[in-house]
Amino acid sequence: MTGLAEIAAPAWPARKPRLLLVDDQPLHLQVLYRTLSAEHQLFMATSGEQALKVAREQRPDLILLDVVMPDADGFAVLRQLRAQRDTADIPVIFVTAHSGEDIETQCLEAGAVDFIPKPVNPSVVRARVRTHLTLKFQSDLLRALAFIDGLTGVANRRQFDERLSIEWARAQRHGSALSLILVDVDHFKSYNDHYGHQAGDDALRRVAACLREHVRRGTDLVARYGGEEFACLLPDTTAEDARALAQQLLEAVRLLAIPHHHGGIGGVLTASFGVATRAGASRPGWQPAALLGLADAQLYEAKRLGRARVCA
Ligand code: GH3
Ligand code: MG
Ligand code: MG
Ligand code: MG
């Protein structure tokens, strides 16, 4: 029989799960520490203030939070965790000596995922921590998968659209440049027709890996935009630099030397590139879709001029 732990296993990271333990009484922290230190990487805080600081800096996977503390109580800490983007999704288990339905309901309604009464029973703590970590890692995995293209492993269209509007707004705020390269594999229908759909899939994977290898800045994004089309979003990149990068990509795809003897250009698989840049101040009605439209028009021009080239 397959147990829950085995089903959950793929979502667990190779590292030790990271827990933040918060309690104003060192003795209580010690008990939790002894209970959890073998299987977890632990961070500790003895006040609400400190808990918020450590949560922001260390991004734990789960927080065990005392309710009654002299400075900010657990409820206040939870509210502040939820209000900050970096910490909003970290699950919190309340640990408190107060017992009774009221306090338990109050904790869950405040947004805690669970409630553990003091004095704590070590095996109950371990079991509940394990359950909530499993849920956390599963939801992390699902969220990651929802933004990744299944065939090539690069970002999917959803992630691209989201990042485009974020980067667009950022470029608008700072007056910085934002460039986009659209990539479309040439004569790919005939590639599929002659080499088969599997080989077509392999070729797309290799092209995606090649783009990712050459589009390297931490803030850059390579995405699969559609069937055999990719998009490279390049924040803080001028038109000139984007065009140069597109030229490199053109060569790099050619150098993959994927044979295409049925309509390919020079006997290998190639791609066409359309480049557009949003530079400087905004214009009225200037929307993220405009950048896509411009890059698409350049791509169309590259196709019209014979493919395997960059238009900018
Ligand atoms: P052009 O040079 O004008 O871009 O011609 P093309 O043949 O590449 O363009 P067209 O849009 O006619 O054909 C795109 C082809 O890409 C057709 C489609 O079957 C193929 N394709 C799209 N997605 C996938 C995929 O996930 N896997 C495979 N193997 N093929 C795909
Ligand atoms: Mg306390
Ligand atoms: Mg196409
Ligand atoms: Mg094509």
Side-chain angles (χ1 to χ4, degrees):
M1 231 182 82
T2 312
L4 181 62
E6 284 161 65
I7 296 170
W12 276 72
R15 61 175 173 81
K16 279 185 177 179
R18 297 152 61 82
L19 303 185
L20 170 58
L21 312 177
V22 187
D23 200 304
D24 61 313
Q25 296 185 44
L27 207 66
H28 289 154
L29 274 185
Q30 262 179 38
V31 173
L32 290 174
Y33 184 90
R34 274 201 302 275
T35 304
L36 296 162
S37 63
E39 293 180 341
H40 307 87
Q41 185 184 353
L42 299 180
F43 303 94
M44 273 165 295
T46 51
S47 71
E49 198 69 20
Q50 203 188 0
L52 290 166
K53 185 167 178 289
V54 178
R56 270 196 298 272
E57 287 171 2
Q58 301 296 341
R59 310 277 186 90
D61 298 307
L62 180 66
I63 300 175
L64 269 66
L65 182 57
D66 184 21
V67 175
V68 183
M69 292 184 291
D71 62 339
D73 72 10
F75 292 108
V77 173
L78 180 56
R79 263 196 308 279
Q80 289 183 66
L81 287 168
R82 292 290 175 263
Q84 294 253 351
R85 185 132 90 98
D86 293 351
T87 55
D89 297 325
I90 304 174
V92 169
I93 299 177
F94 273 133
V95 185
T96 182
H98 285 261
S99 55
E101 255 174 59
D102 279 359
I103 184 82
E104 200 161 331
T105 308
Q106 223 178 323
C107 288
L108 296 174
E109 279 179 351
V113 295
D114 208 349
F115 173 94
I116 300 176
K118 286 182 194 173
V120 299
N121 172 335
S123 53
V124 169
V125 170
R126 275 191 293 267
R128 294 206 181 176
V129 162
R130 188 172 172 82
T131 298
H132 289 291
L133 284 172
T134 299
L135 292 171
K136 159 71 162 56
F137 293 140
Q138 281 174 338
S139 91
D140 284 354
L141 179 67
L142 290 177
R143 193 176 319 181
L145 290 175
F147 286 97
I148 286 172
D149 173 56
L151 179 72
T152 62
V154 298
N156 64 12
R157 177 69 178 269
R158 178 183 293 152
Q159 186 174 349
F160 173 80
D161 288 343
E162 206 161 278
R163 272 292 297 283
L164 175 60
S165 51
I166 291 169
E167 294 301 340
W168 181 270
R170 220 172 58 89
Q172 191 147 324
R173 263 199 319 278
H174 301 294
S176 50
L178 175 64
S179 289
L180 174 66
I181 304 175
L182 283 182
V183 185
D184 186 295
V185 179
D186 296 324
H187 300 302
F188 198 59
K189 188 176 177 324
S190 70
Y191 186 89
N192 270 311
D193 290 347
H194 287 91
Y195 298 95
H197 212 263
Q198 293 272 26
D201 285 356
D202 279 345
L204 289 178
R205 273 192 279 264
R206 292 185 63 190
V207 170
C210 173
L211 297 176
R212 191 144 67 165
E213 190 181 318
H214 288 83
V215 179
R216 307 199 55 121
R217 275 170 31 179
T219 48
D220 294 342
L221 183 77
V222 174
R224 182 153 176 231
Y225 188 70
E228 27 75 87
E229 288 184 31
F230 297 91
C232 309
L233 187 64
L234 313 166
D236 298 311
T237 304
T238 61
E240 196 185 359
D241 288 348
R243 180 208 287 259
L245 177 59
Q247 283 292 345
Q248 284 177 33
L249 297 176
L250 170 70
E251 280 315 306
V253 170
R254 210 200 299 270
L255 286 171
L256 289 174
I258 299 170
H260 188 356
H261 296 293
H262 300 87
I265 295 162
V268 295
L269 195 75
T270 58
S272 298
F273 299 77
V275 186
T277 299
R278 183 220 136 105
S282 193
R283 302 180 215 157
W286 195 208
Q287 295 276 322
L291 192 64
L292 274 166
L294 284 174
D296 204 39
Q298 296 296 340
L299 177 59
Y300 184 83
E301 188 63 6
K303 292 284 181 185
R304 196 183 66 82
L305 293 173
R307 298 174 172 78
R309 72 194 63 214
V310 172
C311 280

